[in-house]
Every structure is written in C-alpha cells, then in structure tokens.
Amino acid sequence: MVYKSESNIDLKRVIKTSLKYFKKWESPTRWGLKNTEIEESAQKKHLDRFDITEKTRCTCFSDSIVISVEVDDGNINEVFSTLVANIADMGEYILTNGVLIRGGVTVGNLYHDLGNVVFGSGLIEVYQIESSLAKYPRIVLSDKLIEKLNYPIYSKSASYPYHQYIDRLSDGTVGFHQMIVLQVVQNSTVITDKQLTEHLDLIRDVIIKGLDSSFNTPNVYEKYVWLKEEYEKLLIFTDDNEVKKKKL
C-alpha cells in the first residue's frame, strides 16, 4: 500500500488517516468498556474487574501498534475480554477504510512506559506469532496465553465476553478476525441496524476490491480469499431472529 500510495493520492490519504487513528489509541482512556459492558457474562462478574484504562499502554510506530496491559493470574480473563473487544473494534473500523491488520497476543514480561519505550521477551514472542502464524488478517493467541484462559469453555458460568470473539480457526490456531465484532454487538445499543448494514457493505466492497486487484500477488490474493470465507461465516440476525448469512 505504501509503494502504491506514491502515485495514488487517495491511497496516501487512507494510510495517513489510518495511522492517525492508531495514534488516538495511545491514550489509556480510549480502552473503555463500551463493547464489554453489553455482555451478560461481564455484568454478572462485576464490570469494574474489566476496566483496563489505567493498565494499558499503546505505542504506534510506522505501520505497527504495540499494546500491553498489566495483568495477573487472578484477572487475566477479565483483562483479556476488554482487550479483545477493543482490538476487534479498532480492526473493524480500519477494515471499513480498506486496511487489513494482523497480529498476535501473548502473556509475558514487558517494559512499556508512557514515553513509548517498549522492550521485553513478550514483545519478541508476539512478533514471531504475528510474522509466522497470523499470516491472514487475524489476531492469533499464543499457547502460553490460552493455557491461562478459560478456554475451551465447559460451562455457561465460566464464560467471559472474549468467548464471543475467539474461535479455533481452520488451521488449528486460536484467534479472531476484525469483522467478528459486528456479530457480537449486533442488536445492542452499540450499533444501529443501519450502521451494521453500512459496515457490512463497506467490508464487502473492500474484500471484492482486494480480490479483483491481486492479479500478480497471489500471497495477497489468498488473504482476501480467507477474509471472504470468514465474512460468509458471520451470523447476522434479522428483526425476526432468523439468521441472515452474508454472501459476496
């Protein structure tokens, strides 16, 4: 996209707008409970345990974003729930603007201060996940993290909001993609039916455009094919509670 933007002013504007949007997430207050508090499983477990605003650090540089949240074994399920809800929300907004993201999540040692100094073994591990496992427009979880979460889930009482987002993906990894937030927040106060339709249509157009413009880049084409398949798996309900499958 960067190379193409050198001769395409519209694409340059998209990149600039997207990076400015990422920068906004460097404010700790951005990491709120909007998409977490609508979940019944969060309401039953006390919402204050899900608040990560004072625990989150975010650093943006070039086309990368590094996010860290202070966590302990006693609240990792709550912290992870709010983190996932916000990352998915961020990713979906960026996707409607034509930008795909991928990444990884792990738990480990990290130094990350408000001055944007960041280093540690956790960062190295998550970079390896992003570069070798994520591959498609998705966020992949590390084995180390999965072992600390209530996953897989065996009872409704053990459920957390993140269970609405993550899944076992087709290649065996566990993670989520940036469209899933629309499936989760539909029929809530977070989004109207009109906005839901508009976002789904925008994403559909992005996927079609990506498929139709990747003639000499098969590695890019396969990412859009994967995204198309996941788009068509979304469960979107109509007003009469019938499932409306999304097709390209």
Side-chain angles (χ1 to χ4, degrees):
M1 290 183 70
V2 172
Y3 283 126
K4 290 180 179 179
S5 71
E6 293 178 358
S7 58
N8 185 326
I9 191 170
D10 291 331
L11 192 53
K12 186 178 293 183
R13 188 179 299 113
V14 167
I15 294 173
K16 184 178 179 180
T17 301
S18 299
L19 294 177
K20 282 188 172 182
Y21 173 73
F22 279 144
K23 291 291 287 185
K24 291 180 180 179
W25 289 85
E26 290 188 346
S27 170
T29 58
R30 185 88 187 198
W31 299 85
L33 294 172
K34 181 184 71 172
N35 290 349
T36 305
E37 61 190 7
I38 64 173
E39 294 290 329
E40 181 183 0
S41 58
Q43 295 167 7
K44 289 182 176 180
K45 294 179 174 67
H46 305 295
L47 284 173
D48 58 326
R49 291 181 55 82
F50 293 83
D51 185 4
I52 65 172
T53 53
E54 298 302 320
K55 304 173 183 177
T56 305
R57 298 286 182 270
C58 178
T59 298
C60 302
F61 57 94
S62 185
D63 64 342
S64 298
I65 177 170
V66 179
I67 306 152
S68 66
V69 188
E70 185 180 351
V71 67
D72 58 57
D73 289 343
N75 70 342
I76 192 167
N77 286 283
E78 290 89 346
V79 165
F80 182 67
S81 292
T82 305
L83 177 65
V84 166
N86 277 285
I87 291 176
D89 195 38
M90 170 199 294
E92 190 274 331
Y93 175 83
I94 288 294
L95 180 56
T96 59
N97 285 275
V99 178
L100 280 55
I101 62 171
R102 71 181 187 199
V105 190
T106 191
V107 57
N109 294 320
L110 192 75
Y111 178 86
H112 195 176
D113 66 16
L114 288 173
N116 291 331
V117 175
V118 53
F119 66 91
S121 58
L123 181 60
I124 295 172
E125 182 182 353
V126 84
Y127 168 74
Q128 292 170 339
I129 294 170
E130 180 271 326
S131 59
S132 62
L133 289 180
K135 189 177 180 180
Y136 304 113
R138 61 186 185 180
I139 310 295
V140 174
L141 279 56
S142 73
D143 288 347
K144 190 190 303 183
L145 174 59
I146 294 170
E147 289 173 0
K148 291 182 176 293
L149 297 174
N150 284 18
Y151 185 86
I153 183 174
Y154 295 107
S155 67
K156 184 177 180 180
S157 62
S159 68
Y160 285 86
Y162 67 79
H163 289 110
Q164 300 292 319
Y165 291 83
I166 68 172
D167 198 5
R168 189 78 185 269
L169 303 172
S170 57
D171 59 355
T173 58
V174 174
F176 61 99
H177 54 74
Q178 58 215 90
M179 301 175 293
I180 194 64
V181 66
L182 296 177
Q183 178 177 298
V184 175
V185 304
Q186 64 177 312
N187 301 322
S188 74
T189 57
V190 171
I191 192 170
T192 66
D193 290 342
K194 180 181 179 182
Q195 290 171 328
L196 178 64
T197 299
E198 288 173 349
H199 283 227
L200 288 167
D201 288 345
L202 284 170
I203 292 172
R204 180 180 182 273
D205 291 344
V206 168
I207 296 173
I208 291 174
K209 185 177 180 180
L211 291 170
D212 289 344
S213 61
S214 306
F215 301 112
N216 63 344
T217 50
N219 61 320
V220 174
Y221 177 77
E222 67 179 8
K223 299 179 194 300
Y224 282 100
V225 170
W226 186 90
L227 201 60
K228 170 186 177 294
E229 293 171 351
E230 295 301 319
Y231 178 88
E232 293 182 339
K233 291 178 186 177
L234 289 173
L235 299 178
I236 304 299
F237 292 88
T238 62
D239 291 337
D240 52 4
N241 248 2
E242 292 184 358
V243 176
K244 182 180 180 182
K245 297 293 288 183
K246 302 304 297 180
K247 294 291 183 182
L248 289 184

